[in-house]
Amino acid sequence: MFPRGGPPPRQCRQITRTAYDAHYRRALERQQSRWGQRMKRLRQRTVEPVLGSLVEYYGMRKVNVRGKAGAHKVMLMAAVAFNLKKYMRFTSHTAVSQAMALRVEWSLTSQDTLLGGSWFFYN
């Protein structure tokens, strides 16, 4: 037991290095290079917002299944939901307007041909 509750002060500093120190230094140099900074900005624009949305809005903060296979299925379903929502945002709405135009056009032409115009079409 140490007197007064703590170990005695050291006379010198101790620097701990791991066996992977060269790998850490190489990774740090790669991150700080021009290419590494560019890749970081690209990753921040593309990948990290998606992961943040999955965690925040799609229930990926905690996965309530067992095993890697179950977690993989949950992640795939969340990714599919995210991609479908994104796809729906970028689809054009011209198909809906064309369908409405065709329905109006069909109702105008069919009044002449079906029973002398006794059919009523509601839009």
Side-chain angles (χ1 to χ4, degrees):
M1 193 93 162
F2 296 112
R4 289 184 241 145
R10 296 184 185 261
Q11 298 298 325
C12 60
R13 288 186 179 173
Q14 182 179 4
I15 298 174
T16 306
R17 287 187 153 179
T18 67
Y20 303 106
D21 190 51
H23 299 289
Y24 290 142
R25 289 182 187 274
R26 195 177 86 208
L28 183 63
E29 287 174 11
R30 196 170 41 209
Q31 290 172 6
Q32 292 175 347
S33 70
R34 190 174 197 173
W35 180 80
Q37 292 293 322
R38 187 171 163 212
M39 293 307 292
K40 180 182 177 185
R41 284 192 301 271
L42 179 66
R43 187 175 61 248
Q44 285 177 337
R45 284 194 316 254
T46 56
V47 176
E48 291 178 3
V50 173
L51 293 175
S53 295
L54 288 174
V55 167
E56 190 67 28
Y57 303 114
Y58 290 86
M60 294 302 297
R61 190 176 300 268
K62 184 177 179 183
V63 178
N64 294 322
V65 295
R66 290 188 182 186
K68 286 183 183 179
H72 183 69
K73 288 177 189 176
V74 170
M75 186 66 189
L76 281 178
M77 291 303 294
V80 166
F82 183 83
N83 286 335
L84 280 175
K85 186 175 178 183
K86 189 174 177 181
Y87 177 73
M88 293 300 289
R89 205 175 331 139
F90 290 114
T91 56
S92 63
H93 298 289
T94 58
V96 174
S97 62
Q98 287 176 354
M100 290 178 70
L102 287 175
R103 188 171 64 180
V104 170
E105 185 179 308
W106 181 75
S107 64
L108 292 175
T109 58
S110 61
Q111 286 178 358
D112 296 334
T113 57
L114 295 176
L115 301 177
S118 62
W119 289 85
F120 294 102
F121 294 95
Y122 298 104
N123 292 331

